[in-house]
Amino acid sequence: MKSDATRATLKDPTSGRPVSKMMEMQKCVWDDLNISDESGGLAVSKIADNFPDDIALLSLKDEFAKTVDATYLQCLQDRRPQVLETKKEMKRTTVLEFLDACSVMFDTTEVRERLTEKIKETGKMPDPVVSEVLDEVMELLGFEREHGQGSFQKFGASKQFQKDQEVAIAYQRWRGKTSNVCLELLNKHRR
């Protein structure tokens, strides 16, 4: 994930959505090991359950997750358009990218620190920081903040959204992630 070749591949927008391409790369590693990607993914997800005392293994899993997130965000930065979109509506793939990117951003140390500071300052949910992060992701994906948010809301109200199970699931995952992170940090502050 950290190689220049991987970065070059992911930087190319014709390679598709970064998450899909990264999963494809991981599948190739599982294939090289003669392990199905389902079995491999399940084994990785169960590391904490199966090896709760193996600090080195738990640390490697955490490091890998952080590397995947950093690689994904770097890819979006590498693909960032020079000029922000102010007219065109957001496509379905951009909506999915927005939802994924926001979820990853809320796991970064920098965003969690910003959320925590706002909670310490106000004692309330850090809605202003959440809005800032959403705006930053809009711009990262090439949409001017207000236009992007309006386009996102318009897509969310469309019949296409109502019929699109993948987007609906991604949307619920995004809302849950945002709420869970904010509530976790708020509860930590109140203790």
Side-chain angles (χ1 to χ4, degrees):
M1 290 286 164
K2 295 180 180 181
S3 74
D4 290 339
T6 297
R7 184 173 179 184
T9 299
L10 292 172
K11 183 177 183 175
D12 179 7
T14 64
S15 69
R17 290 194 57 226
V19 170
S20 300
K21 189 64 179 175
M22 291 168 70
M23 289 173 64
E24 183 183 308
M25 291 173 170
Q26 291 176 43
K27 183 182 180 327
C28 288
V29 173
W30 290 122
D31 289 347
D32 289 347
L33 296 170
N34 290 321
I35 298 172
S36 75
D37 54 320
E38 294 87 10
S39 296
L42 181 62
V44 170
S45 72
K46 299 269 186 193
I47 286 174
D49 295 335
N50 294 334
F51 305 98
D53 300 325
D54 192 333
I55 304 302
L57 187 58
L58 293 169
S59 178
L60 281 173
K61 179 185 180 229
D62 186 50
E63 181 183 335
F64 177 73
K66 287 178 181 177
T67 299
V68 168
D69 287 352
T71 300
Y72 174 70
L73 292 174
Q74 181 63 59
C75 169
L76 295 182
Q77 188 64 41
D78 288 345
R79 291 182 177 192
R80 185 183 197 132
Q82 296 290 329
V83 177
L84 297 178
E85 182 59 60
T86 60
K87 303 226 183 302
K88 291 181 185 174
E89 294 301 324
M90 195 175 285
K91 294 179 182 177
R92 177 185 183 275
T93 54
T94 307
V95 169
L96 287 168
E97 212 64 72
F98 174 76
L99 297 171
D100 285 346
C102 287
S103 293
V104 171
M105 287 285 284
F106 281 103
D107 274 337
T108 65
T109 302
E110 187 261 328
V111 168
R112 283 178 176 255
E113 286 172 355
R114 287 167 53 195
L115 293 166
T116 300
E117 285 305 311
K118 182 54 84 174
I119 290 169
K120 286 178 181 177
E121 179 186 313
T122 66
K124 298 178 184 176
M125 288 292 276
D127 293 336
V129 176
V130 170
S131 294
E132 289 171 11
V133 172
L134 301 181
D135 287 345
E136 290 164 12
V137 173
M138 276 298 168
E139 290 190 353
L140 183 61
L141 297 176
F143 280 79
E144 183 275 326
R145 294 171 182 222
E146 287 182 29
H147 173 69
Q149 291 296 343
S151 182
F152 178 73
Q153 289 172 358
K154 190 174 181 180
F155 182 87
S158 72
K159 290 184 190 230
Q160 180 184 358
F161 173 76
Q162 295 170 8
K163 295 178 182 178
D164 192 325
Q165 188 174 4
E166 182 183 10
V167 174
I169 290 169
Y171 179 79
Q172 289 303 321
R173 196 171 48 238
W174 166 70
R175 287 195 52 167
K177 173 63 132 193
T178 305
S179 297
N180 288 341
V181 167
C182 291
L183 287 171
E184 172 194 328
L185 296 173
L186 185 62
N187 288 332
K188 202 181 279 187
H189 171 72
R190 289 182 175 168
R191 287 185 205 152

